[in-house]
Amino acid sequence: QVQLVESGGGLVQAGGSLRLSCTASGGIFSNNAMAWYRQAPGKQRELVARLTSGGSTNYAVSVKGRFTISRDNAKKTVYLQMNSLKPEDTAVYYCNADLGEYSGGRVYVNNYWGQGTQVTVSS
């Protein structure tokens, strides 16, 4: 019923840009923490960027200054703008967010993952 759907991945040359989008289907999308992760073949999933409920941001050292995380509550979407892409940015990117759900007159908060979108940066 509730899910995160990603889009915007693709193949780009080094130095290029991409914007990833993650839209929530169902659920309450407001003032919740959200983040982007990535996973390359043979490597562990790592945190790329985080947007807190208070509006502050945190970035991995490897992407700081190049990537920007943002949200649009009206569109129930979180974005990851990626500039000056490098071959080492190649990975499957996943969005992650806490979403509220109504059940029996109560609100429950659960954590959700997007399906992942491939980003490939050629040298």
Side-chain angles (χ1 to χ4, degrees), residues 17-101:
S17 299
L18 282 175
R19 187 178 74 164
L20 305 183
S21 298
C22 177
T23 300
S25 176
I28 302 173
F29 193 91
S30 179
N31 298 320
N32 293 316
M34 54 191 64
W36 285 93
Y37 291 77
R38 68 185 181 188
Q39 186 169 24
K43 299 183 66 177
Q44 293 184 304
R45 186 172 299 184
E46 64 174 343
L47 176 67
V48 176
R50 183 185 298 280
L51 178 63
T52 70
S53 59
S56 63
T57 57
N58 293 289
Y59 298 93
V61 174
S62 60
V63 307
K64 194 170 186 177
R66 299 187 297 119
F67 291 10
T68 302
I69 185 172
S70 62
R71 67 187 295 167
D72 186 331
N73 287 342
K75 296 181 178 180
K76 302 179 70 174
T77 300
V78 57
Y79 303 96
L80 183 67
Q81 178 65 48
M82 306 183 294
N83 298 324
S84 302
L85 285 163
K86 305 175 181 179
E88 50 263 45
D89 293 319
T90 296
V92 176
Y93 284 70
Y94 301 87
C95 64
N96 178 269
D98 291 329
L99 299 175
E101 303 171 70

